[in-house]
């Protein structure tokens, strides 16, 4: 089954084409990548110190068509002639400026050999999501291809396929927008058992980086400094940050307290003229975040008798967090830790295609969106219908 997938929830525009087969329930699932095109907008947002939704929307509009054409380049075409003429302007109203160019382009194309289109419906930035959705709707209407709305977070979780996921499974999702623990007792059944009450982990990394005058996105910068402090064994024993909620009975997180402690520390020390080295701050911050993540996650693993731990989202690129989780997981016999391949950790369209296929395979009726009113759902929850 050929699945075209589209991801525009934040600052990555991504289109992929996967040939999927088999079934993850009996471990026969596999996929081949026919096309994979991605454009990161980091350079455009950098000067603003974060993602600007309307700018992201404009960039998606500009990039979707070339990325789509690139993704389908290697695809055989179907013999059944050209696109039907569909009055897209009538369907999409005021978005037609963007679609006009697209309509002209696809009117010249033979019908692509695509069986379904998977598109991220949320969560994310609504103006950004909406561009991907109308693009997917236009393609679906033109070529009469079924449309599968996909939850972005479910994409992150299933990005570890085709490696076997044994239930009960737990996913720790850590990115710039999310920090969640999601329990999975079976396919297509997700339950959020813990989440951040304030900042997401990646957001905390980015904010602390800004306090230390490091460029955006700050996560990798902090990580680099912390690694330097570890290899040179630089530390300042009296510089200690809090580990918020580490002993609380629930599985929720809070990171804004750590960030505020860094801020006050910097202020006080600047006044006193005793500044702690950036490397030391970075290391202690990373240690504090890692300890909280490990403590909550492994308590959930104990309580729910977890067999597979999946960690997804951009923050898992952090080597210290990775090493600590790997060490801890090794001490749990019967637990398998699955990390996505590097290309699938940050936002991408491959994971949306995989999740769309699995959703369709397991519940074909409910997965296809038959209504013309698919909307961007910025606050879509994992596991919600
Ligand atoms: O998943 P992602 O690419 O985008 C979303 O937020 O959805 O995650 C981006 C986040 C940013 O906050 C970035 O600073 C963080 O992941 N990040 C890291 C590292 N690499 C990326 N945080 C800590 N250490 C890293 N090495
Ligand atoms: Zn993401």
């Amino acid at each position: 089954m050929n699945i075209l997938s589209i991801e525009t929830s934040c600052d990555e525009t991504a289109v992929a084409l996967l040939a999927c087969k088999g079934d993850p329930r009996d471990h026969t699932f596999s996929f081949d990548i026919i096309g994979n095109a991605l454009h990161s907008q980091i350079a455009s947002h950098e000067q603003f110190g974060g993602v600007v939704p309307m700018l992201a929307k404009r960039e998606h509009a500009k990039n979707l068509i070339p990325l789509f054409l690139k993704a389908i380049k290697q695809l055989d075409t179907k013999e059944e002639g050209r696109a039907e003429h569909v009055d897209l302007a009538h369907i999409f109203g005021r978005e037609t400026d963007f679609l006009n160019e697209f309509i002209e382009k696809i009117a010249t194309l033979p019908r692509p050999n695509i069986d379904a289109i998977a598109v991220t419906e949320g969560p994310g930035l609504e103006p950004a999501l909406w561009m991907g959705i109308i693009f997917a709707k236009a393609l679906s209407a033109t070529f009469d291809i079924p449309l599968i709305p996909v939850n972005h977070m479910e994409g992150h979780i299933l990005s570890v396929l085709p490696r076997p996921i044994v239930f009960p499974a737990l996913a720790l999702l850590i990115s710039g927008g999310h920090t969640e623990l999601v329990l999975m007792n079976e396919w297509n059944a997700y339950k959020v058992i813990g989440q951040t009450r304030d900042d997401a982990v990646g957001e905390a990394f980015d904010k602390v980086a800004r306090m230390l005058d490091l460029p955006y996105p700050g996560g990798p910068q902090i990580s680099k400094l912390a690694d330097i402090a570890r290899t040179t064994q630089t530390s300042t024993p009296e510089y200690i940050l809090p580990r918020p909620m580490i002993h609380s009975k629930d599985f929720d997180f809070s990171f804004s307290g750590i960030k505020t402690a860094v801020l006050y520390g910097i202020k006080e020390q600047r006044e006193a003229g005793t500044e702690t080295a950036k490397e030391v701050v970075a290391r202690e911050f990373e240690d504090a975040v890692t300890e909280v993540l490990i403590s909550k996650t492994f308590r959930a693993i104990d309580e729910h008798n977890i067999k597979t731990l999946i960690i997804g989202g951009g923050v898992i690129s952090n080597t210290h967090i990775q090493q600590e989780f790997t060490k801890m997981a090794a001490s749990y016999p019967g637990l398998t830790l699955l990390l996505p391949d590097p290309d699938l950790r940050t936002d991408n369209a491959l994971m949306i295609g995989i999740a769309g296929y699995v959703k369709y395979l397991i519940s074909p009726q409910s997965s296809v969106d038959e209504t013309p009113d698919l909307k961007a759902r910025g606050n879509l929850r994992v596991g919600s219908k």
Side-chain angles (χ1 to χ4, degrees):
M1 181 172 176
N2 287 351
I3 300 218
L4 180 84
S5 55
I6 298 164
E7 154 65 37
T8 63
S9 67
C10 192
D11 60 345
E12 253 94 33
T13 320
V15 183
L17 186 60
L18 297 180
C20 296
K21 59 174 190 251
D23 190 327
R25 288 170 292 193
D26 58 15
H27 310 309
T28 57
F29 169 70
S30 69
F31 65 88
D32 287 318
I33 301 171
I34 303 174
N36 185 19
L38 184 137
H39 172 79
S40 165
Q41 306 173 4
I42 283 190
S44 312
H45 297 277
E46 203 171 13
Q47 54 181 312
F48 303 105
V51 181
V52 183
M54 292 317 278
L55 178 60
K57 173 180 168 163
R58 232 178 303 139
E59 290 262 312
H60 289 314
K62 195 172 76 194
N63 294 318
L64 271 167
I65 295 165
L67 291 177
F68 165 71
L69 294 173
K70 191 170 160 201
I72 65 163
K73 220 172 183 166
Q74 305 298 326
L75 185 68
D76 302 333
T77 50
K78 268 196 179 163
E79 295 302 317
E80 302 140 40
R82 300 192 174 265
E84 295 284 317
H85 177 78
V86 177
D87 187 0
L88 295 173
H90 180 72
I91 305 178
F92 298 113
R94 62 197 173 81
E95 302 291 357
T96 38
D97 278 353
F98 153 59
L99 286 171
N100 273 339
E101 187 196 342
F102 172 63
I103 294 163
E104 276 169 32
K105 276 261 163 55
I106 57 176
T108 65
L109 292 178
R111 183 187 161 78
N113 187 8
I114 297 170
D115 302 300
I117 301 170
V119 63
T120 308
E121 67 168 331
L125 306 168
E126 285 195 357
L129 286 162
W130 181 233
M131 280 297 109
I133 291 173
I134 60 168
F135 184 70
K137 288 214 268 193
L139 271 178
S140 161
T142 305
F143 295 115
D144 192 22
I145 300 171
L147 193 59
I148 306 169
V150 171
N151 182 309
H152 179 85
M153 305 315 283
E154 295 173 11
H156 274 303
I157 297 173
L158 298 183
S159 68
V160 295
L161 286 173
R163 280 171 287 164
I165 298 177
V166 180
F167 299 121
L170 182 73
L172 172 67
L173 301 176
I174 40 179
S175 72
H178 294 273
T179 303
E180 285 176 354
L181 276 171
V182 184
L183 179 66
M184 245 183 119
N185 282 317
E186 54 181 324
W187 294 101
N188 276 6
Y190 305 89
K191 187 173 174 219
V192 178
I193 58 167
Q195 60 195 312
T196 182
R197 298 197 177 164
D198 38 60
D199 293 347
V201 191
E203 189 182 356
F205 267 95
D206 295 338
K207 286 179 177 169
V208 167
R210 208 172 332 160
M211 292 171 197
L212 298 176
D213 299 320
L214 302 169
Y216 172 85
Q221 307 285 333
I222 298 252
S223 173
K224 237 183 269 169
L225 289 181
D227 287 346
I228 293 173
R230 276 189 205 97
T231 38
T232 57
Q233 302 198 326
T234 314
S235 74
T236 310
E238 64 276 15
Y239 186 81
I240 298 168
L241 294 171
R243 272 75 172 151
M245 296 181 69
I246 198 163
H247 298 300
S248 71
K249 293 270 173 287
D250 53 31
F251 300 116
D252 284 348
F253 303 93
S254 164
F255 295 103
S256 75
I258 313 184
K259 172 196 74 188
T260 316
V262 173
L263 184 67
Y264 287 153
I266 292 174
K267 258 195 187 153
E268 268 170 31
Q269 292 173 356
R270 274 191 189 152
E271 279 160 20
T274 55
E275 232 165 290
T276 305
K278 284 181 187 180
E279 288 84 355
V280 172
V281 178
R283 177 185 183 171
E284 172 64 8
F285 171 75
E286 211 175 73
D287 281 344
V289 167
T290 310
E291 282 171 33
V292 175
L293 289 174
I294 293 255
S295 153
K296 291 278 164 144
T297 306
F298 280 88
R299 223 160 37 69
I301 286 171
D302 289 334
E303 193 159 308
H304 293 278
N305 195 20
I306 296 298
K307 301 278 191 296
T308 311
L309 171 64
I310 298 165
I311 312 182
V315 180
I316 197 49
S317 303
N318 182 287
T319 38
H320 180 66
I321 296 179
Q322 247 182 64
Q323 281 166 357
E324 293 302 302
F325 269 95
T326 308
K327 238 191 283 171
M328 190 73 179
S331 70
Y332 272 66
L335 176 74
T336 305
L337 170 65
L338 298 180
L339 300 182
D341 291 339
D343 285 359
L344 280 101
R345 283 177 196 157
T346 50
D347 291 348
N348 65 85
L350 297 176
M351 68 181 194
I352 302 304
I354 297 169
Y357 174 78
V358 171
K359 192 175 170 186
Y360 180 75
L361 186 79
I362 289 164
S363 6
Q365 268 84 37
S366 61
S367 64
V368 175
D369 188 81
E370 302 285 2
T371 59
D373 59 350
L374 176 60
K375 296 240 160 26
R377 296 166 73 190
N379 297 317
L380 182 65
R381 305 267 307 155
V382 117
S384 62
K385 297 276 176 289

